[in-house]
Amino acid sequence: MPDPGSMSLQRFYQDHVLDDTVAREAGFNPYYPLIQSGLDDPIVIDGKPFINLASNNYLGLSADIRLAEAAIDGIRKYGVSMCATPVASGYSDLFRDAEDALSSFSGLEASLIFPSCYQANNGLFKAIARQGDLFLFDRCAHSSLIEGIRSTGCDNRPFRHNDLEHLENILKRSTSHQQVFVVTESVFSTEGVMAPFLEMYALCLHYGAIPVIDDSHGIGVIGKKGRGILEYSGIQDFQGIYTASLGKALAVNGGVVSGKNSLIRYLRYFTSHLIYSTAIMPATLNALLRVLQIIGDEFTEISGRLWSHTNRLAEALKKAGYRMTLSESPINSICAGNSLETLQMTRRLFDAGILSTPFIYPSVPEENGRIRLIAGANLKESSIDQAIRIFNSIKDENS
Amino acid sequence: MEFTSKILSIISQDAGCGKTIRPEDRIVEDLKVDSLDKLMIIHDLEDEFNITVDEDDLRRLRVVQDIIDAVGRKISVANA
């Protein structure tokens, strides 16, 4: 007779096997590509050069020597790790300076830096929610926001993507809740579409709701000085909560939550994801301070390159007959069909030397596969030329 | 707008990207309704018809006509 213990173990391991049918059908798994270089142009995968249209390295500063030097300086003074959570002995003067610099950059009173934006978004909601609260969120909000909201156990309700009328109808009816929060993103990462945030903010103020905006794909990218959604929308004295990833245009890693001084002071003591995580590395904090200086000094020039690459690629793709999303940001996103078709297209690009980011079900609906292309400011003109040649030749082969 | 059209319109806007929805459409297989779509549909039906719908009520339903019938029953009970 089989041992019940071994049966149970066997069942557990049988239940936790990856279903990679689509990848096998496409003959290609685009996830976890093994990168053998920094984010240079080209990057290296399997010993071969690739044009990198996959990273969120919008300003192309990830491999900038000035950031590397700042990171090394951070290590020289503070070592590799503070080996403690911020609330214990992990909070250095460097940590405080980086928080202050981020607050000034975004135009907010105070900030908290988390080891990742996923943790920031997940931790935030549990810390601010009270029984009887309601969370309204955009249907296409990032999973870190939705998971964070759901972890509160409060009532929650999606509203139609970027639909102000739907949101207002819900707000009108939501009078029986203690506090209502409206959660969205500035730039939606799969399609590059932006939220009508100024209008949403006005609705929130009108109905007494607290807006929560995730500016991960906006910070360092949108606004005249690259300061993100609040600058872009002309919002001053923001009455809501701001979160962002530091691992995209800001080219380091971590996440930030910013807002009113009193709230941030409260969150400093009541956000488990912050107070039970080892403090972010000093190298990262010093590089963050440096990148904010660089953006302050050079944004116009760097952003000009980013948009020039983005626009050249967008025009070429449209001319070649690719169906594109209506992006308003430096994200070019190809409507690539169902999951299998999306992976097959990603494979053709990969085989031709382009690294891209595919989104398939369940990240997007089954028929709405997307291939995201971000042409960072560090790419050479010749790489954009080469990428356009590749896209054209793939289109020619298909037709 | 009549009762059935209202329901079709809600499903179309919440889960069908504005496409025409037919009563015989299968909720999961044809419309690819996921858990967030479902949540949005439930709340919008509740608002529109002043009824209460549990997620379990929708879980058992297979095609759009089943939703129309279920909402009709809820309204009858509420008015009884």
Side-chain angles (χ1 to χ4, degrees):
Chain A
M1 189 174 164
D3 167 25
S6 81
M7 288 290 284
S8 163
L9 275 176
Q10 210 177 347
R11 199 176 318 115
F12 171 81
Y13 286 109
Q14 278 167 358
D15 288 348
H16 293 79
V17 174
L18 177 72
D19 177 4
D20 58 355
T21 311
V22 182
R24 279 189 279 108
E25 280 175 17
F28 178 63
N29 183 346
Y31 302 111
Y32 294 97
L34 197 60
I35 314 283
Q36 296 163 317
S37 67
L39 299 187
D40 306 313
D41 183 23
I43 58 166
V44 179
I45 303 172
D46 291 338
K48 293 178 212 144
F50 275 75
I51 302 165
N52 181 17
L53 299 179
S55 303
N56 303 303
N57 186 24
Y58 290 99
L59 301 180
L61 294 170
S62 155
D64 190 296
I65 187 68
R66 295 170 292 180
L67 294 201
E69 281 166 358
I72 291 165
D73 288 347
I75 291 172
R76 281 210 180 97
K77 180 162 180 196
Y78 297 89
V80 173
S81 168
M82 299 301 280
C83 296
T85 66
V87 75
S89 53
Y91 191 70
S92 59
D93 51 354
L94 189 58
F95 204 128
R96 180 204 57 203
D97 292 348
E99 287 179 341
D100 289 348
L102 275 171
S103 305
S104 304
F105 186 78
S106 310
L108 289 149
E109 287 179 11
S111 298
L112 281 178
I113 296 176
F114 290 72
S116 77
C117 191
Y118 206 94
Q119 285 176 315
N121 284 345
N122 259 249
L124 168 68
F125 296 109
K126 206 152 190 183
I128 59 176
R130 296 279 183 274
Q131 204 178 4
D133 288 350
L134 169 67
F135 287 87
L136 306 178
F137 58 95
D138 189 285
R139 164 72 182 81
C140 296
H142 193 263
S143 83
S144 60
L145 295 166
I146 298 175
E147 282 183 19
I149 288 167
R150 290 192 158 168
S151 75
T152 65
C154 290
D155 286 350
N156 62 88
R157 177 170 179 178
F159 56 90
R160 292 175 198 146
H161 181 44
N162 279 345
D163 190 328
L164 291 167
E165 199 184 327
H166 194 223
L167 173 61
E168 182 164 20
N169 281 337
I170 298 170
L171 282 169
K172 269 184 201 163
R173 293 168 182 273
S174 305
T175 49
S176 60
H177 291 88
Q178 290 288 322
Q179 179 61 57
V180 179
F181 297 88
V182 174
V183 183
T184 191
E185 292 178 47
S186 57
V187 177
F188 289 87
S189 60
T190 53
E191 308 216 330
V193 173
M194 288 183 66
F197 187 62
L198 188 58
E199 293 83 352
M200 275 188 190
Y201 183 50
L203 282 179
C204 288
L205 293 182
H206 183 75
Y207 290 96
I210 305 267
V212 180
I213 182 76
D214 179 329
D215 198 24
S216 291
H217 287 267
I219 190 168
V221 179
I222 59 174
K224 267 192 180 156
K225 295 178 180 170
R227 295 177 176 219
I229 187 65
L230 300 181
E231 185 199 15
Y232 177 88
S233 307
I235 295 171
Q236 288 175 347
D237 190 25
F238 183 52
Q239 299 298 309
I241 303 170
Y242 175 96
T243 75
S245 165
L246 308 176
K248 302 191 190 307
L250 301 195
V252 290
N253 67 293
V256 65
V257 174
S258 306
K260 297 276 180 202
N261 235 327
S262 56
L263 178 72
I264 297 302
R265 188 171 147 72
Y266 171 83
L267 292 175
R268 220 178 263 291
Y269 289 88
F270 283 94
T271 313
S272 313
H273 296 62
L274 175 76
I275 59 181
Y276 295 116
S277 296
T278 298
I280 196 161
M281 291 172 71
T284 303
L285 294 167
N286 215 35
L288 174 61
L289 282 166
R290 189 74 183 98
V291 81
L292 292 175
Q293 284 169 356
I294 293 171
I295 294 173
D297 295 340
E298 302 171 20
F299 180 72
T300 307
E301 184 202 331
I302 302 174
S303 171
R305 285 203 301 276
L306 168 67
W307 278 103
S308 163
H309 294 342
T310 304
N311 293 336
R312 282 192 63 207
L313 198 55
E315 280 162 30
L317 287 164
K318 277 180 212 153
K319 198 171 157 198
Y322 287 94
R323 205 156 62 82
M324 310 296 293
T325 63
L326 299 171
S327 175
E328 303 159 87
S329 67
I331 289 172
N332 279 308
S333 203
I334 299 174
C335 305
N338 62 28
S339 298
L340 181 59
E341 289 162 343
T342 303
L343 290 193
Q344 285 170 335
M345 171 80 186
T346 309
R347 180 186 180 165
R348 274 183 222 116
L349 292 172
F350 189 86
D351 290 345
I354 289 179
L355 187 67
S356 61
T357 308
F359 292 92
I360 60 171
Y361 182 81
S363 295
V364 291
E366 170 59 27
E367 299 302 318
N368 295 354
R370 301 282 184 257
I371 296 175
R372 185 177 69 191
L373 312 166
I374 297 174
N378 62 316
L379 295 187
K380 298 186 276 280
E381 290 291 342
S382 56
S383 298
I384 303 297
D385 294 338
Q386 174 66 4
I388 290 171
R389 278 195 292 275
I390 291 169
F391 279 109
N392 283 336
S393 91
I394 288 175
K395 200 69 187 173
D396 288 345
E397 280 167 26
N398 286 349
S399 54
Chain B
M1 201 187 289
E2 60 145 332
F3 170 72
T4 302
S5 307
K6 269 186 192 167
I7 294 179
L8 295 180
S9 168
I10 285 172
I11 297 171
S12 166
Q13 290 180 76
D14 286 351
C17 308
K19 279 189 301 197
T20 304
I21 305 288
R22 299 162 310 163
E24 63 270 28
D25 284 336
R26 292 171 299 173
I27 298 164
V28 175
E29 296 88 339
D30 298 330
L31 302 180
K32 314 283 183 202
V33 167
D34 64 15
S35 60
L36 287 183
D37 296 328
K38 218 175 264 183
L39 198 58
M40 218 159 28
I41 292 169
I42 288 172
H43 282 297
D44 285 341
L45 290 173
E46 289 180 332
D47 287 350
E48 183 64 41
F49 299 107
N50 279 321
I51 53 173
T52 306
V53 184
D54 291 331
E55 252 186 288
D56 282 348
D57 291 337
L58 269 196
R59 196 165 294 148
R60 292 189 298 273
L61 309 181
R62 211 176 64 80
V63 294
V64 171
Q65 183 63 50
D66 295 336
I67 299 180
I68 297 168
D69 294 342
V71 172
R73 283 195 298 275
K74 289 267 176 192
I75 293 171
S76 306
V77 170
N79 292 338

